[in-house]
Amino acid sequence: MPFKTALTQKLGITVPVVQGGMQWVGLAELASAVSNAGGLGILTALTQPTPESLRKEIRKCRTMTNRPFGVNITILPTLVPPDYAAYARVVVEEGVRIVETAGDNPAPIVTQLKKANIIILHKCTTIRHAISASKLGVDFLSIDGFECAGHVGETDITNFILLSRARQELKVPFLASGGFADGYGLAAALALGAEGINMGTRFMCTVEAPVHQNVKQTIVNAQETDTALVLRRWKNTTRLYKNKAATDALKVEKQSTTGEFREVAPFVSGQRGRQVFLNGDIDFGVWTAGEVIGLIRDIPTCEELIGRIEKEALETISRIKLLYTEGPTQSKL
Ligand code: NAD
């Protein structure tokens, strides 16, 4: 029996699991595999060098799945600022129905997309930002705890608090993002009031993820302590796999006397990180990973993974139900 949450119903998916936008990873191979397995696959717009190449990737994804998929548009500091509006225009022209936005000042892009009636999942790391985004008319908030990979924000609040704060404060339905890899996590997220989960690192370690096998094996071997927080000095804190490149970047960050971003820029360059995924030299550049890296022990297909998550979540919910026995209550309250 498929799940029925606000997320599955609005997006037309069967399992409330979204594959979050990941730089260099959100390509048609992965997005279509996630969607074919019943979740929501997402293409990463900025992984494509131009809006026109995003158009091609969207069309390619359509040939690989008949199910809904989305596009991620992340608005954060970059070494080469992209034309976000042009990427969003392609999304609208190609008839994509779902977009995951993330980052700073999403108002112009959200307004542009909402005019085309696109469903927006906006990712944020604080309740304050979530409330601002809900005023823009986003359909779902993706609440990203400090455990997450990539841009963790500057307030360091983990999901046990953040999700409950979301449940208390938000009028817009939300998903839980950061720290999720299995169905136990999905059941916990639903218990805390979320409509589903968003996973990145877990999907990097699937058969269909377009990253080198060495990266997948490194994730399988890693522990939850193997991530590093870099770029805090520039208020753009990013959780990375703790490799040589991340450690070198951190050293520059700590020792720089000027505090100028250009000193650290060569160490954190996305293009160098991309080489890691292509060539499998784990230390060549930085790449993002969440604390959830410590939970991942295998490299399944997306279908196996999503099927397992569904089964684990349903079993967990049933097990918890059994903890309550019918009959007269012992409580005097
Ligand atoms: P990039 O090579 O342009 O930059 C490398 C890193 O430095 C990124 O973390 C970026 O945010 C940061 N950075 C760049 N200029 C900065 C500045 N002036 N001050 C502080 N930090 C600065 O990055 P990329 O890999 O080509 O990616 C392009 C953009 O898309 C980045 O902002 C990236 O973080 C973002 N993105 C993130 C995700 C995600 O899932 N976390 C997904 C898609 C895109």
Side-chain angles (χ1 to χ4, degrees):
M1 197 176 62
F3 274 96
K4 198 170 147 194
T5 75
L7 186 78
T8 59
Q9 289 186 299
K10 181 93 178 175
L11 304 191
I13 58 177
T14 53
V15 187
V17 175
V18 172
Q19 166 246 313
M22 290 173 275
Q23 187 66 314
W24 316 128
V25 185
L27 297 175
E29 289 78 7
L30 180 62
S32 62
V34 173
S35 291
N36 285 333
L40 184 81
I42 292 201
L43 300 173
T44 305
L46 300 189
T47 291
Q48 300 301 326
T50 63
E52 282 312 306
S53 47
L54 174 62
R55 190 189 303 280
K56 284 196 190 123
E57 197 68 10
I58 291 168
R59 291 182 181 178
K60 180 176 172 187
C61 200
R62 283 238 165 80
T63 68
M64 299 170 83
T65 184
N66 295 324
R67 304 265 184 99
F69 64 88
V71 171
N72 164 284
I73 302 180
T74 296
I75 308 147
L76 281 167
T78 60
L79 297 176
V80 186
D83 184 349
Y84 297 108
Y87 280 97
R89 203 156 47 239
V90 164
V91 165
V92 174
E93 285 168 3
E94 289 301 308
V96 173
R97 302 300 321 138
I98 305 160
V99 169
E100 177 187 65
T101 52
D104 305 331
N105 189 19
I109 291 293
V110 169
T111 309
Q112 185 181 350
L113 295 169
K114 276 319 279 176
K115 274 189 195 146
N117 225 4
I118 286 175
I119 299 169
I120 298 186
L121 284 51
H122 182 70
K123 194 182 268 188
C124 38
T125 58
T126 70
I127 299 303
R128 188 169 64 83
H129 289 119
I131 291 171
S132 307
S134 56
K135 288 181 187 151
L136 296 174
V138 303
D139 299 272
F140 291 89
L141 289 149
S142 197
I143 301 296
D144 214 12
F146 185 53
E147 305 91 329
C148 74
H151 298 276
V152 299
E154 309 304 317
T155 53
D156 305 359
I157 309 295
T158 52
N159 258 336
F160 254 112
I161 303 302
L162 208 53
L163 294 173
S164 286
R165 289 286 296 120
R167 189 184 65 249
Q168 290 173 344
E169 295 288 338
L170 302 182
K171 308 270 184 290
V172 173
F174 61 95
L175 12 167
S177 176
F180 296 97
D182 55 32
Y184 306 97
L186 172 57
L190 296 173
L192 289 169
E195 304 291 337
I197 55 173
N198 178 304
M199 306 195 303
T201 309
R202 175 64 271 197
F203 279 121
M204 266 172 74
C205 200
T206 56
V207 171
E208 295 90 345
V211 304
H212 196 281
Q213 192 66 17
N214 290 357
V215 174
K216 298 179 190 179
Q217 199 52 50
T218 299
I219 293 175
V220 167
N221 297 344
Q223 297 177 19
E224 59 276 23
T225 46
D226 289 339
T227 70
L229 295 169
V230 181
L231 302 186
R232 173 131 292 179
R233 186 166 180 175
W234 293 278
K235 295 195 168 42
N236 187 22
T237 309
T238 306
R239 189 183 295 283
L240 303 170
Y241 176 67
K242 200 198 287 175
N243 63 359
K244 182 171 183 311
T247 312
D248 287 349
L250 210 45
K251 215 181 282 169
V252 172
E253 178 168 354
K254 285 203 176 122
Q255 291 174 353
S256 162
T257 49
T258 66
E260 285 183 26
F261 185 77
R262 63 180 171 78
E263 284 193 48
V264 81
F267 295 87
V268 296
S269 138
Q271 288 299 335
R272 284 187 72 97
R274 181 179 211 185
Q275 290 305 314
V276 174
F277 292 163
L278 293 175
N279 301 328
D281 176 355
I282 295 300
D283 285 319
F284 186 76
V286 298
W287 49 282
T288 62
E291 288 182 342
V292 77
I293 200 166
L295 302 183
I296 299 169
R297 291 284 168 263
D298 62 358
I299 309 169
T301 64
C302 289
E303 190 176 353
E304 286 163 351
L305 177 64
I306 290 181
R308 189 202 300 166
I309 288 175
E310 185 174 26
K311 186 164 169 282
E312 286 170 348
L314 292 175
E315 281 172 5
T316 303
I317 292 164
S318 304
R319 180 173 55 79
I320 291 171
K321 248 185 188 167
L322 291 176
L323 297 177
Y324 178 80
T325 49
E326 296 291 337
T329 172
Q330 296 296 309
S331 166
K332 297 269 186 293
L333 295 176

